[in-house]
Amino acid sequence: MLPPHIYALVGQTYGQMMTESISQSILISGESGAGKTETAKICMRCLANLSGSSEKATALTLESGLLLEAFGNAKTVRNDNASRFGKHLDVQFSPDMRIVGACTTAYLLEKPRVVSHLPSERNFHILY
């Protein structure tokens, strides 16, 4: 059995949200460098396309993630751009199911690495 394809997953989630009027969630997880940030961007673009939302509504949300990454990403032994934060993205829809806004909440994943790290690592990009 093949793993679910991201476009099909987003389409099914949006469809259920429209027909059942129930909030939906998509959990994106994986190891460092697995493509979680890119997958989240694909989800947002797909949602914007399905809902007929303005490109501006999604562009602002995606661009805000870049700022969070500057504060929350660091160099590790396994990845030159590893995230120290998890992100919860709450997308708000209008009654006609178009994206009207989004709120990103970041939470710290790796507290020990804030105060100490291996000699070949860096803690946060923003400090360099």
Side-chain angles (χ1 to χ4, degrees):
M1 183 170 164
L2 294 173
H5 192 279
I6 191 64
Y7 295 116
L9 181 69
V10 173
Q12 181 181 6
T13 302
Y14 182 76
Q16 287 179 346
M17 188 172 61
M18 283 187 61
T19 58
E20 299 175 20
S21 298
I22 298 174
S23 297
Q24 300 290 311
S25 296
I26 298 174
L27 177 65
I28 302 168
S29 64
E31 290 190 26
S32 179
K36 296 177 296 293
T37 300
E38 288 305 311
T39 301
K41 290 177 185 177
I42 290 169
C43 285
M44 282 297 295
R45 287 188 185 108
C46 188
L47 278 173
N49 188 27
L50 289 170
S51 66
S53 301
S54 77
E55 190 63 31
K56 185 176 180 182
T58 55
L60 293 173
T61 302
L62 295 174
E63 288 172 11
S64 68
L66 298 174
L67 180 62
L68 286 174
E69 287 182 19
F71 282 94
N73 287 14
K75 180 180 179 184
T76 66
V77 174
R78 296 179 65 192
N79 187 344
D80 284 344
N81 199 33
S83 178
R84 298 289 191 242
F85 289 101
K87 298 176 195 93
H88 177 262
L89 177 62
D90 182 16
V91 182
Q92 292 96 30
F93 291 86
S94 66
D96 65 347
M97 299 305 293
R98 293 180 188 266
I99 296 173
V100 292
C103 176
T104 303
T105 306
Y107 52 92
L108 190 58
L109 292 174
E110 301 183 50
K111 293 178 185 177
R113 288 191 174 173
V114 173
V115 293
S116 65
H117 50 83
L118 297 174
S120 60
E121 296 181 337
R122 297 191 318 205
N123 51 8
F124 292 102
H125 290 327
I126 199 74
L127 301 176
Y128 293 89

